[in-house]
Amino acid sequence: MGIVNIEEELHDQLRRASKVSCRSINAQAAFWIKIGMLCETNPTLSFSEVIEREMNAAGFKAPPLALVAHDEAA
C-alpha cells in the first residue's frame, strides 16, 4: 500500500462524497478509482451497467421492483 498525493479540492470532494455514501475517505477514493478504471477499460458500458456487472460478480442479485400503476398508488 502506498500514499497517493491528490489536489486539496479533490480531497474535499472525496470527504463530502464519503459522508453521503457512508464510506471512509479511503474507501470512497478506492471506489472512484475502481469504477473509473472499469469505465475506462469498458467505454461502451454505462455507469449503471458497470455497477450491475460488479454486483453480479459479487453474487448480489437485487430483487425486481414491483411495478405499481399510477392509479393504484393513489
Side-chain angles (χ1 to χ4, degrees):
M1 182 171 13
I3 295 174
V4 177
N5 291 319
I6 60 173
E7 296 174 356
E8 191 64 35
E9 182 181 337
L10 181 56
H11 186 272
D12 187 51
Q13 291 172 346
L14 270 168
R15 183 179 50 76
R16 291 170 192 231
S18 70
K19 288 180 182 179
V20 173
S21 60
C22 299
R23 297 182 181 111
S24 68
I25 293 174
N26 287 345
Q28 184 67 40
F31 176 76
W32 281 354
I33 290 167
K34 181 176 183 174
I35 297 303
M37 180 184 64
L38 289 170
C39 288
E40 272 194 357
T41 57
N42 297 281
T44 61
L45 298 178
S46 69
F47 172 78
S48 296
E49 290 168 326
V50 169
I51 295 296
E52 181 179 10
R53 288 179 180 213
E54 287 299 295
M55 292 289 207
N56 289 339
F60 176 80
K61 204 66 157 166
L65 295 174
L67 296 177
V68 178
H70 180 67
D71 293 340
E72 293 176 25

